Amino acid sequence: MRHPHPRRLATRAVLLGVAASLALTACGSDDAGSDNNNDNDNDNASAETELSDDPVTLRFTWWGSDERHQRTQDVIDLFEAEYPHITVRGEFKDWNGYWDSLATTVAANDAPDIIQMDELYLASYAERGALLDLGTVDGHLDTSGFDENALATGVVEGGQYALPVGLSAYSFVVNVDLLEEYGFDLPDDDTWSWDDLKEIGGEISEASGGAVTGVQSWGFDAGGVNIWARQAGASVYDDDGNVVIPPEVLADYWTYLSDLAEEGIAPDASTTIERSTAGLDQSGTATNNSVFATWWNTQLSSLTAASGSELQLLKLPGEADATAPGAYYKPSMYWSISARTDHPNEAALFVDFLANSEEAGGVLLTDRGVPANENVRSAIAGELTDTDTAALQYIDEITVGETPRVTPNGGSGIEAILGRYTEQVLFGQITPEDAAESFIQELQSEIDAA
């Protein structure tokens, strides 16, 4: 049986003892009642960290596919076998219905105890007090297996309101078969630049006679603009959640994408927009119609299965000459605990099992991304497919910069706003400069109104 972490409990006990001692000193030569009160305080603090001896039922909600549901239920079964007095009831939905349901239950003070959380909504729930600061239950939740940059992705206003489940990172996926077919070598992704991408992409488009494009355009997700801003030494948000990306940096981003389309390096605007709203299976990468494209590294397995080609992950262009590293860890999702749970210790124990148990990791594998816990990552390395192994190695090999601020409350619509302006720029309906000014103003207004 797994037990609460003795080192953390011991540390907490020492701190409580010091606090009690200081309080007693401040009172001077108090009467015996102070000693009794002090003992009571310690007893209460200890009780707050103890697991219940009575049966406990936890509710756990997540979104995902049928396969994820089965894997998650298998892990629940393992947990319940180890802690027979705790029952975990799963509540799962697809992505589209998940957030409406969560908002409704939180508003009704009926939120599940354990919540699968997404980066776009983390600040919104944490800042309104709906989530538990996981630092308050560290007696039952060990985070020592997590990189500091990974943990930082779950911090809001100084509190650890979420624990990253899996990590992903922005990457370029290259179709090696197409590259060989048209006689090109793999670029050196330790040194290549955005100009290099343009050059080889244009040459491939020309060599194919229009059969494929060298690049599949992007510009519809927050990852791409985050990378561009970070390499310029900027960021999309400041620490207070204000939109601070310089308009000239954003205009350069859209100018680059517009050039790709106009010069035939990427598909025309209509094709790009059509692909952006279709599923992964209809992308230029999956259909073998584009050689280079931006993807999160964890999508390599799905893309490979869809394309039937040899695909490979490349580091981002421009990193060698960037003002600061553009790469960063993006949690695939988080574990959070409701602030209203009646069983914070048991909920923390279950999250600890999900996050730290190598047995659970062996069931979940990479279904929720490359495990953020480094120990679990090592433990499952031998059980992964070749493409999952490549995704794992990519995480270990890239150099990441400081963790970006989580999306502020009100900013969850950033990708819809981005996509709309990218579409207008590609169709020539607005200049990159005007799009940048309008985007910043519109996103800031959404945040201010939240």
Side-chain angles (χ1 to χ4, degrees):
M1 176 178 287
R2 295 160 59 86
H3 297 285
H5 307 285
R7 178 173 59 80
R8 292 181 179 277
L9 290 174
T11 303
R12 172 166 290 196
V14 170
L15 291 174
L16 289 168
V18 170
S21 176
L22 290 174
L24 190 60
T25 302
C27 294
S29 56
D30 209 339
D31 57 25
S34 295
D35 289 336
N36 290 336
N37 290 336
N38 187 49
D39 290 343
N40 289 337
D41 288 344
N42 280 331
D43 288 345
N44 290 335
S46 178
E48 290 174 357
T49 66
E50 291 179 357
L51 297 174
S52 172
D53 292 328
D54 299 325
V56 169
T57 297
L58 300 173
R59 292 164 55 212
F60 172 30
T61 187
W62 69 87
W63 72 83
S65 63
D66 290 344
E67 180 179 352
R68 175 175 298 168
H69 301 335
Q70 185 58 57
R71 288 179 186 272
T72 306
Q73 185 56 56
D74 290 345
V75 170
I76 290 173
D77 293 344
L78 290 172
F79 177 80
E80 290 178 338
E82 192 163 335
Y83 299 96
H85 72 294
I86 302 177
T87 299
V88 180
R89 292 181 179 167
E91 301 176 3
F92 49 86
K93 300 172 181 65
D94 62 25
W95 170 268
N96 292 330
Y98 184 83
W99 297 104
D100 286 343
S101 174
L102 183 61
T104 300
T105 55
V106 169
N109 194 23
D110 186 35
D113 301 277
I114 300 101
I115 301 167
Q116 184 173 294
M117 178 57 62
D118 184 79
E119 193 272 342
L120 283 175
Y121 300 95
L122 173 58
S124 171
Y125 281 92
E127 289 176 5
R128 72 173 109 157
L131 303 180
L132 184 73
D133 183 346
L134 301 181
T136 64
V137 287
D138 64 354
H140 300 288
L141 176 56
D142 183 11
T143 59
S144 62
F146 291 75
D147 178 274
E148 287 185 4
N149 281 319
L151 280 179
T153 64
V155 173
V156 178
E157 295 183 345
Q160 187 79 47
Y161 289 99
L163 188 63
V165 178
L167 294 180
S168 57
Y170 222 56
S171 67
F172 261 78
V173 172
V174 56
N175 187 316
V176 177
D177 290 343
L178 286 176
L179 208 60
E180 292 179 350
E181 180 179 342
Y182 296 114
F184 292 89
D185 296 327
L186 276 173
D188 181 352
D189 66 348
D190 284 327
T191 60
W192 71 330
S193 66
W194 294 102
D195 286 342
D196 292 334
L197 175 66
K198 260 188 178 180
E199 182 178 351
I200 190 173
E203 290 173 353
I204 292 170
S205 293
E206 185 176 352
S208 75
V212 304
T213 58
V215 179
Q216 174 178 285
S217 196
W218 62 99
F220 304 91
D221 67 353
V225 74
N226 260 315
I227 295 296
W228 194 271
R230 290 162 62 85
Q231 287 191 346
S235 61
V236 176
Y237 307 110
D238 65 11
D239 291 342
D240 295 325
N242 297 307
V243 184
V244 294
I245 183 171
E248 61 272 19
V249 171
L250 191 50
D252 286 346
Y253 176 65
W254 271 315
T255 297
Y256 186 90
L257 296 179
S258 179
D259 288 349
L260 293 180
E262 290 180 1
E263 297 171 20
I265 301 168
D268 58 38
S270 295
T271 303
T272 292
I273 302 307
E274 183 179 349
R275 289 181 183 175
S276 73
T277 56
L280 177 147
D281 289 353
Q282 299 304 310
S283 66
T285 304
T287 57
N288 298 309
N289 284 313
S290 294
V291 177
F292 295 96
T294 56
W295 292 96
W296 297 99
N297 67 314
T298 49
Q299 294 173 294
L300 181 64
S301 295
S302 298
L303 290 165
T304 299
S307 73
S309 297
E310 181 184 353
L311 306 181
Q312 185 171 323
L313 295 169
L314 296 178
K315 298 171 189 170
L316 301 166
E319 289 288 82
D321 300 322
T323 302
Y328 63 94
Y329 292 143
K330 179 186 180 300
S332 55
M333 57 197 71
Y334 301 93
W335 303 132
S336 290
I337 296 175
S338 168
R340 300 294 181 89
T341 179
D342 291 331
H343 310 289
N345 298 322
E346 287 76 12
L349 189 69
F350 181 60
V351 171
D352 183 84
F353 189 82
L354 290 167
N356 293 316
S357 165
E358 293 181 6
E359 191 175 16
V363 174
L364 297 174
L365 295 176
T366 59
D367 179 73
R368 286 180 166 89
V370 174
N373 184 312
E374 295 173 351
N375 300 325
V376 174
R377 207 152 69 214
S378 298
I380 68 170
E383 303 178 44
L384 302 180
T385 64
D386 289 345
T387 49
D388 280 346
T389 298
L392 183 150
Q393 290 174 340
Y394 184 81
I395 286 287
D396 287 336
E397 291 173 359
I398 60 172
T399 299
V400 298
E402 187 177 342
T403 304
R405 186 203 191 282
V406 297
T407 301
N409 187 16
S412 60
I414 181 175
E415 294 191 341
I417 301 173
L418 265 177
R420 176 157 37 83
Y421 284 112
T422 295
E423 180 175 337
Q424 292 177 11
V425 167
L426 292 181
F427 277 116
Q429 297 168 340
I430 189 172
T431 67
E433 290 76 16
D434 287 346
E437 295 286 356
S438 297
F439 167 83
I440 292 169
Q441 183 178 14
E442 184 173 345
L443 181 57
Q444 185 65 60
S445 296
E446 294 286 325
I447 294 169
D448 292 342

